[in-house]
Amino acid sequence: MTLIKSISGIRGTIGGSPDDGLNPLAIVKFVSAYATFIRNSKTVGSERIVVGRDARISGQMVKQVVVGTLIGMGFDVVDIDLATTPTTEIAVVMEKACGGIIITASHNPKQWNALKLLNEKGEFLNAEEGNAVIKIAEQEQFVYASAEKLGKIITDNRYRERHIESILGLELVDAEAILAAHFRVAIDCVNSVGGIVIPDLLYALGVKEIFKLHCNPHGNFSHNPEPLPENLTEISQLMVQAKADVGFVVDPDVDRLAVVCENGEMFGEEYTLVAVSDYVLSAKPGNTVSNLSSSRALRDVTLKHGGQYSPAAVGEVNVVAKMKETNAVIGGEGNGGVIYPESHCGRDALVGIALFLTNLAKKKIKTSELKASYPQYYISKQKIELTPSIDVDAVLKKVKEKFAGYDITDIDGVKIDFPDKWVHLRKSNTEPIIRIYSEAHTLKEAEELGGELITIIKEIAD
């Protein structure tokens, strides 16, 4: 059994002994710590905390413990039940709540669950705030409310509709153009909450023909829930059989979006953000941000539209911070995460779908032709295992010195930008390995670049 504590929340496998896994005792402790942190740091008068969950099989159990603990800490709970991560984020703002908890382990398998913690802006806690919650939990520095001051439950199942309404109200979402395009759309929602909300969104946008895969939200995921090409063979076949124009695949909490072309080929999760950004920038020129491990294609598209591209450290909270700093009009992550501040500052596959379909409708071309219109890059993802005794930071420092003649970014590991390719080295926070992401105009070039760095690292480490 596993329990991982990080700034992005608390996640683990369900079950196990009291000291192992995401069990009820662990949930009570960390929710109590989060509630204590919120009470000590909130700037709004509200005593409400929003709770939403994806459809994984442990979700109901975890929610009951979370809600009961928050009530015991004296907070009122707005229970929106089955809801996407972005829906929960939006609900925090609409409720003028002081925080929110999303019960989801994102793309992890069904035996996992997690507590993702939000501030009063509906955004993830930053590193300092997350560490403060962990410290409170470790020291058990919390006090529960007396009987007279217990919170209450407010049930509200309307936020999925409100989320869709907010998307339809975005200036760059053109439902009339989508309706006129008569799109045939295939979807794979991996038996989670996307199976409820994505069909509703598509119908609201004017899509009349939807071909559904795994839309029953029972939580027994029909395949590995991470939306990677090797897990998406069914929808590739469906695209051809149904003669669909475009396919959309989401992870269990619907913050990542993968697109499938009409011929069954993957659009590429790196290019979800690229295509959406191209459309947004064509209508509203400005700056963009993505994390260091995302495709250079976003930078190319941004420069084409006269904007400035900025890299951020890996992690949604870091991307959002950089977007605010640079006043970016769009940004996100190369894993299919689109962050559009006109809606809210969080990854949102629903917003991504609406903007992507608008782009496709206005350009009046096939999905595969849209993909071909962008600079073509290929990313290789490798890793090298090191002995625990090796100082990974020292190794990365020597790599940085070796390539000092090139453009180096060291806000998160070491990224080396060559004229026509790049490589990004990051150490793992949980094991003695270095992750090596590389990108070039061919997969062979990208793999060779990653292999070259592996050889160099081994030489340095010996």
Side-chain angles (χ1 to χ4, degrees):
M1 298 298 173
T2 305
L3 183 65
I4 301 172
K5 297 169 280 187
S6 70
I7 62 168
S8 59
I10 312 300
R11 64 188 174 100
T13 49
I14 296 297
S17 66
D19 298 321
D20 200 9
L22 190 67
N23 54 60
L25 289 178
I27 295 167
V28 168
K29 182 163 75 172
F30 285 104
V31 172
S32 300
Y34 167 73
T36 301
F37 170 81
I38 290 295
R39 173 148 285 130
N40 293 338
S41 62
K42 69 186 182 76
T43 62
V44 296
S46 171
E47 293 287 324
R48 291 185 173 188
I49 292 178
V50 177
V51 176
R53 68 179 180 94
D54 71 14
R56 62 186 62 233
I57 53 180
S58 61
Q60 186 68 12
M61 179 276 288
V62 176
K63 188 188 82 169
Q64 296 292 343
V65 180
V66 168
V67 170
T69 302
L70 290 173
I71 289 173
M73 291 295 297
F75 285 95
D76 295 336
V77 176
V78 181
D79 178 10
I80 65 173
D81 200 37
L82 287 174
T84 72
T85 284
T87 301
T88 308
E89 293 169 344
I90 285 173
V92 171
V93 177
M94 289 185 174
E95 282 289 332
K96 297 181 173 58
C98 56
I101 296 179
I102 308 162
I103 302 167
T104 175
S106 192
H107 62 270
N108 288 105
K110 64 182 180 180
Q111 65 268 30
W112 287 77
N113 214 327
L115 309 174
K116 292 187 176 182
L117 310 177
L118 303 175
N119 61 23
E120 61 197 36
K121 297 178 181 178
E123 299 169 10
F124 290 118
L125 303 187
N126 62 31
E128 182 180 354
E129 293 165 339
N131 287 328
V133 172
I134 292 172
K135 182 177 179 181
I136 293 170
E138 290 173 346
Q139 299 179 355
E140 298 188 354
Q141 296 176 326
F142 31 80
V143 177
Y144 297 102
S146 64
E148 296 82 6
K149 296 184 178 180
L150 294 174
K152 61 181 181 294
I153 300 176
I154 304 162
T155 302
D156 193 332
N157 295 317
R158 297 171 294 171
Y159 273 101
R160 292 193 298 270
E161 297 173 11
R162 290 171 178 166
H163 189 180
I164 291 172
E165 288 171 1
S166 73
I167 292 170
L168 294 175
L170 293 173
E171 182 181 357
L172 296 187
V173 172
D174 192 335
E176 290 185 5
I178 295 170
L179 174 63
H182 302 292
F183 286 130
R184 296 164 63 88
V185 178
I187 58 174
D188 180 347
C189 299
V190 72
N191 304 116
S192 191
V193 67
I196 304 171
V197 69
I198 289 180
D200 287 349
L201 171 69
L202 290 172
Y203 288 130
L205 288 170
V207 177
K208 297 187 181 302
E209 295 183 272
I210 304 174
F211 305 91
K212 302 176 184 178
L213 277 177
H214 313 306
C215 286
N216 185 353
H218 51 60
N220 281 300
F221 306 143
S222 51
H223 57 75
N224 185 312
E226 187 164 15
L228 299 176
E230 57 266 30
N231 303 326
L232 306 180
T233 55
E234 283 183 274
I235 194 168
S236 290
Q237 296 168 1
L238 178 61
M239 293 298 298
V240 178
Q241 294 168 359
K243 296 182 180 179
D245 298 298
V246 62
F248 295 119
V249 185
V250 294
D251 60 344
D253 67 327
V254 199
D255 62 357
R256 289 173 59 179
L257 173 64
V259 181
V260 189
C261 298
E262 80 287 344
N263 56 12
E265 294 180 0
M266 294 296 113
F267 194 83
E269 63 175 355
E270 287 289 337
Y271 283 82
T272 300
L273 176 60
V274 174
V276 172
S277 297
D278 179 43
Y279 167 60
V280 170
L281 293 171
S282 69
K284 185 178 180 180
N287 300 328
T288 66
V289 173
S290 66
N291 68 39
L292 287 172
S293 292
S294 298
S295 176
R296 184 179 281 186
L298 177 62
R299 186 199 69 175
D300 294 351
V301 166
T302 305
L303 294 176
K304 181 187 75 171
H305 288 289
Q308 179 180 341
Y309 165 79
S310 299
V314 173
E316 180 177 330
V317 66
N318 298 316
V319 174
V320 169
K322 193 67 175 180
M323 289 179 68
K324 291 181 177 180
E325 177 188 328
T326 61
N327 198 29
V329 297
I330 188 146
E333 298 179 307
N335 60 9
V338 174
I339 302 174
Y340 186 47
E342 286 292 319
S343 174
H344 66 113
C345 288
R347 295 183 304 179
D348 192 334
L350 301 176
V351 169
I353 287 171
L355 292 173
F356 189 97
L357 283 177
T358 302
N359 187 24
L360 196 62
K362 289 180 177 292
K363 290 189 173 177
K364 299 180 180 179
I365 58 177
K366 294 181 179 179
T367 308
S368 60
E369 293 171 338
L370 181 63
K371 169 64 186 298
S373 71
Y374 298 123
Q376 297 300 298
Y377 294 102
Y378 297 84
I379 288 183
S380 169
K381 298 181 180 182
Q382 304 178 56
K383 65 181 179 180
I384 178 172
E385 297 186 11
L386 304 173
T387 62
S389 61
I390 291 177
D391 186 340
V392 177
D393 287 324
V395 170
L396 292 179
K397 181 179 179 182
K398 290 182 179 178
V399 170
K400 180 180 173 182
E401 292 170 352
K402 183 177 180 65
F403 291 92
Y406 295 94
D407 186 8
I408 302 288
T409 306
D410 59 3
I411 57 175
D412 184 11
V414 175
K415 183 176 183 179
I416 309 163
D417 272 295
F418 302 98
D420 59 346
K421 54 192 174 183
W422 58 259
V423 62
H424 182 206
L425 317 175
R426 294 179 67 237
K427 72 172 183 176
S428 169
N429 294 323
T430 58
E431 51 187 328
I433 67 172
I434 295 177
R435 303 189 188 279
I436 303 170
Y437 289 11
S438 51
E439 183 179 63
H441 286 293
T442 69
L443 184 58
K444 181 181 179 183
E445 285 182 277
E447 290 175 341
E448 288 175 349
L449 177 58
E452 177 185 342
L453 266 293
I454 288 175
T455 299
I456 291 171
I457 291 170
K458 287 181 177 178
E459 291 173 353
I460 293 173
D462 286 343

